[in-house]
Amino acid sequence: MATGLVTHPDCLAHVTPAHVHEQPARLALVLQALEGLPVFRYAAPLASDDSILTLHTPAYLDHIRASVPAEGFTMLDPDTDEETFLSPSSLPALFRTVGGVQKAIDLVLSGELTNAFAAVRPPGHHAERELPMGFCFFGNVALGAKYALGHHGLARVAIVDFDVHHGNGTQALLWDEPRALVITSQQMPLWPDTGDVSETGAHDNVVNVPLAPGTGGKAMRDAYEARVFPRLDAFRPELLLVSAGFDCHAADPLSDLAWVEEDYEWLTHRLCDIADRHCGGRMVSTLEGGYDLDALAASAATHVRVLTERSG
Ligand SMILES: [Zn+2]
């Protein structure tokens, strides 16, 4: 069995203003860092409108399409953080990011691969049903869960989101979905200021794991051992999806957790253990945040290297 890497050059064509941390260079450096790893490479296809409409509304999809500028940028989130911009070539990137996650799920569920990493952008875990937010437009990973449940007919899919920011979009999109367990760890307090332990979903299917600023890998490991892995074991997912943001890193400019590459290595191994126990190893990980370019590239390479070791 093998590890897959799903990506597409269109994901580099979504450009953002110079002050925005979410830049094409992030993905370019991740791809460079993954060169030489023993992965099978696949092109991310364009997602269908129908698959995006499983969690977003037709009016929202129309709004996104209509907001693509002929030149320059369109800001889509003036009421939240003024960081979410579309550029003239953004649309294929948005659709290929959703499609890339779906392709990775197809490959893993068909048995062609054990696990896969979707190296795509823009990220997705802040996007809500009708709300672009925090560099995100479509709920890439939440849509992946819906696709695995609907298109592939799975009964239980779990998502683990270890990005430093709360996966508010994933949580909101799957709040009412009892077949999805959403577990998200985040620095708190930190933008977007949601993700309290009291937010548990309509079916006790959401688990929030706040981590205090200034704490490091030891606190993360303790929290995952105490609150994350037992919930995953009790849920017995048939597929594990991961929102892999690497902005908990000590070098990241947007946060104050002090994770290092060894923490991502440990966490990836433990998530593979869960996948081995319940899913026949089936795991699909998708790039979310990570804004120190060197730390992002090194951490993503560590994460994917572990995936390749565990699929061999
Ligand atoms: Zn983040």
Side-chain angles (χ1 to χ4, degrees):
M1 296 289 279
T3 295
L5 173 63
V6 183
T7 187
H8 197 283
D10 282 354
C11 293
L12 296 166
H14 163 59
V15 296
T16 55
H19 77 273
V20 173
H21 283 94
E22 207 291 291
Q23 293 284 338
R26 300 177 55 248
L27 178 56
L29 286 175
V30 165
L31 291 172
Q32 197 176 73
L34 299 181
E35 282 174 15
L37 285 177
V39 294
F40 289 89
R41 290 162 190 275
Y42 303 85
L46 297 165
S48 69
D49 283 15
D50 282 349
S51 67
I52 289 170
L53 294 175
T54 58
L55 289 174
H56 297 284
T57 64
Y60 179 66
L61 194 47
D62 290 346
H63 169 60
I64 294 292
R65 280 205 168 96
S67 300
V68 174
E71 57 184 35
F73 302 101
T74 308
M75 186 205 291
L76 288 190
D77 59 342
D79 298 329
T80 51
D81 61 333
E82 303 187 359
E83 294 276 7
T84 311
F85 291 86
L86 285 170
S87 63
S89 300
S90 290
L91 213 49
L94 272 59
F95 280 81
R96 289 198 191 278
T97 294
V98 175
V101 177
Q102 293 172 345
K103 174 78 174 177
I105 289 170
D106 289 340
L107 290 161
V108 165
L109 292 182
S110 73
E112 194 168 332
L113 302 173
T114 302
N115 55 39
F117 183 66
V120 286
R121 61 181 280 281
H125 72 148
H126 296 305
E128 300 193 1
R129 190 168 175 80
E130 294 190 292
L131 185 69
M133 188 170 160
F135 319 135
C136 303
F137 305 88
F138 298 144
N140 308 321
V141 173
L143 288 166
K146 208 71 179 172
Y147 180 75
L149 294 167
H151 183 80
H152 286 286
L154 296 193
R156 292 179 308 283
V157 175
I159 295 174
V160 173
D161 181 335
F162 60 71
D163 190 281
V164 79
H165 301 97
H166 180 224
N168 62 289
T170 307
Q171 168 176 302
L173 291 170
L174 297 173
W175 186 263
D176 291 324
E177 176 49 83
R179 298 171 298 173
L181 175 66
V182 176
I183 302 181
T184 165
S185 63
Q186 53 272 345
Q187 179 182 318
M188 182 169 278
L190 185 67
W191 186 93
D193 299 320
T194 49
D196 187 78
V197 291
S198 63
E199 298 164 31
T200 56
H203 306 277
D204 196 26
N205 59 313
V206 172
V207 179
N208 273 290
V209 184
L211 301 167
T215 60
K218 171 73 164 62
M220 176 275 285
R221 295 180 195 207
D222 290 348
Y224 270 75
E225 296 277 16
R227 299 201 49 224
V228 177
F229 304 141
R231 285 298 297 266
L232 289 166
D233 279 330
F235 185 71
R236 296 181 296 111
E238 296 170 305
L239 172 69
L240 181 59
L241 302 180
V242 177
S243 267
F246 297 98
D247 41 10
C248 290
H249 196 281
D252 198 274
L254 299 189
S255 64
D256 188 27
L257 293 184
W259 299 15
V260 294
E261 280 81 348
E262 288 74 18
D263 295 312
Y264 289 108
E265 181 176 29
W266 178 89
L267 181 53
T268 308
H269 270 297
R270 295 290 77 76
L271 293 173
C272 287
D273 291 344
I274 297 284
D276 283 348
R277 278 205 288 282
H278 303 290
C279 322
R282 302 188 300 197
M283 180 166 142
V284 169
S285 178
T286 302
L287 181 64
E288 298 279 5
Y291 303 101
D292 178 87
L293 294 179
D294 292 337
L296 166 64
S299 301
T302 297
H303 177 64
V304 178
R305 176 179 53 76
V306 173
L307 294 183
T308 65
E309 290 169 2
R310 297 296 297 259
S311 70

